[in-house]
Amino acid sequence: MKKTISLLVFLAFFYVLLPLNTVHAYGWGYSKNSNHEIPDIGSYQVLLDEYNAYYVDDSGEKVLYVTFDNGYEQGYTDEILDVLKEEKVPATFFVTGHYVKSKPDLIKRMVNEGHIIGNHSYHHPDFTIMNKQAIQKEVEDLENAVAEVSDQKEMMYLRPPRGVFNEDTLKWTNELGLVHIFWSLAFIDWNTDGQKGWQYAYDQIMDQIHPGAIILLHAVSSDNAKALKQVVKDLKEEGYTFKSLDHLMLKNQLPQGFPMF
């Protein structure tokens, strides 16, 4: 989304290192690296652990989780879905009410082809200036909208609007049965007037990739649509596999060492 502030990974990392009681709202960020290692998130890890939130699969396995934020449609999602279907890659699409209302056929296609619809709220507000009841209405309205146009009747995964959160929003949404999903790999891809070519998107992903990555992409990007197939093929060649967020949740609920199929 053009006005999103979710990619604060590109801002100074000192915000992550601030004591958690010094500010009311936090913008998601991490210490970016090109060493193919899990990026450090500083003191945010304490909050994620306490409220069952995720930004990565830290098992060390060469598994990847593809996620998209869809606030509006730019005409590339069908092409993206074609690639995902051909390559048998599951994805999670975090959508807003506007997207569901304007593109119900795409929501239905996502679900029918085995993808997960994630909750990105109905109106995309800043949760940190809202009370629990208002947040609950936002997420439930979105869940109901998705249920009306598809076979997915419930939502488990939440990506906070604008990537903004605090302890209250993590706590309240956890109490509502939602799991916060942040990300460990992202880049500036949402500016539809500033696309840089498929090679740029490809290089950004391949430079930052690491085992267990939760990848954030925006489906409004023509670069992403054109690069996706080559990205998937090359990562498979490097020994990576692509799994759904349900796989990550199940793996973290099973006893350590329990075999996954």
Side-chain angles (χ1 to χ4, degrees):
M1 295 164 210
K2 292 182 179 179
K3 295 184 179 179
T4 184
I5 58 171
S6 61
L7 297 182
L8 291 177
V9 59
F10 300 103
L11 298 181
F13 184 53
F14 75 88
Y15 285 111
V16 177
L17 301 178
L18 286 173
L20 290 176
N21 60 358
T22 62
V23 292
H24 177 68
Y26 318 122
W28 181 250
Y30 52 85
S31 182
K32 183 178 177 181
N33 71 75
S34 58
N35 300 320
H36 307 296
E37 298 174 352
I38 293 175
D40 181 33
I41 59 170
S43 55
Y44 285 172
Q45 189 67 62
V46 175
L47 285 176
L48 268 60
D49 289 343
E50 183 169 358
Y51 297 109
N52 191 38
Y54 295 85
Y55 82 105
V56 74
D57 177 347
D58 62 4
S59 67
E61 298 177 12
K62 294 189 75 171
V63 60
L64 303 171
Y65 306 88
V66 179
T67 71
F68 292 88
D69 281 5
N70 287 53
Y72 63 97
E73 179 57 32
Q74 197 73 6
Y76 303 113
T77 303
D78 270 317
E79 182 179 348
I80 287 169
L81 287 168
D82 289 344
V83 172
L84 296 176
K85 183 177 182 179
E86 181 181 349
E87 295 296 329
K88 297 180 173 57
V89 172
T92 300
F93 292 85
F94 290 93
V95 303
T96 62
H98 170 78
Y99 194 90
V100 178
K101 185 177 180 179
S102 62
K103 295 295 178 181
D105 289 345
L106 281 175
I107 296 293
K108 186 178 295 185
R109 180 182 175 187
M110 292 169 188
V111 174
N112 289 346
E113 295 184 359
H115 304 297
I116 296 170
I117 307 298
N119 204 313
H120 203 36
S121 78
Y122 197 91
H123 294 103
H124 202 254
D126 180 350
F127 279 2
T128 66
I129 60 174
M130 301 166 66
N131 61 31
K132 183 179 180 181
Q133 290 71 30
I135 293 173
Q136 182 173 1
K137 179 171 173 52
E138 277 287 328
V139 298
E140 288 183 352
D141 283 353
L142 193 281
E143 181 178 67
N144 291 336
V146 169
E148 287 179 4
V149 301
S150 77
D151 290 335
Q152 181 177 313
K153 304 307 178 186
E154 297 181 348
M155 307 185 91
M156 174 184 291
Y157 307 113
L158 171 70
R159 178 156 286 155
R162 316 178 190 195
V164 178
F165 67 102
N166 61 24
E167 184 165 7
D168 283 341
T169 63
L170 288 171
K171 177 176 182 290
W172 293 338
T173 52
N174 183 248
E175 291 170 349
L176 293 171
L178 291 163
V179 178
H180 259 72
I181 301 293
F182 294 99
W183 58 91
S184 63
L185 192 163
F187 56 98
I188 299 175
D189 63 347
W190 66 88
N191 183 0
T192 58
D193 295 326
Q195 297 295 290
K196 301 179 181 180
W198 75 268
Q199 188 72 48
Y200 171 79
Y202 176 91
D203 291 343
Q204 286 291 318
I205 295 169
M206 301 303 284
D207 286 349
Q208 296 185 55
I209 205 68
H210 59 83
I214 296 179
I215 303 169
L216 165 60
L217 300 172
H218 287 79
V220 295
S221 166
S222 60
D223 291 351
N224 290 344
K226 294 172 183 176
L228 185 60
K229 186 171 184 177
Q230 194 63 51
V231 166
V232 170
K233 285 182 172 294
D234 288 355
L235 288 174
K236 285 180 178 179
E237 285 291 322
E238 291 187 13
Y240 284 98
T241 59
F242 293 85
K243 300 291 185 180
S244 76
L245 291 178
D246 286 347
H247 175 88
L248 176 59
M249 296 303 107
L250 179 60
K251 181 161 63 173
N252 279 278
Q253 291 171 7
L254 292 174
Q256 187 172 6
F258 195 93
M260 291 285 293
F261 300 98

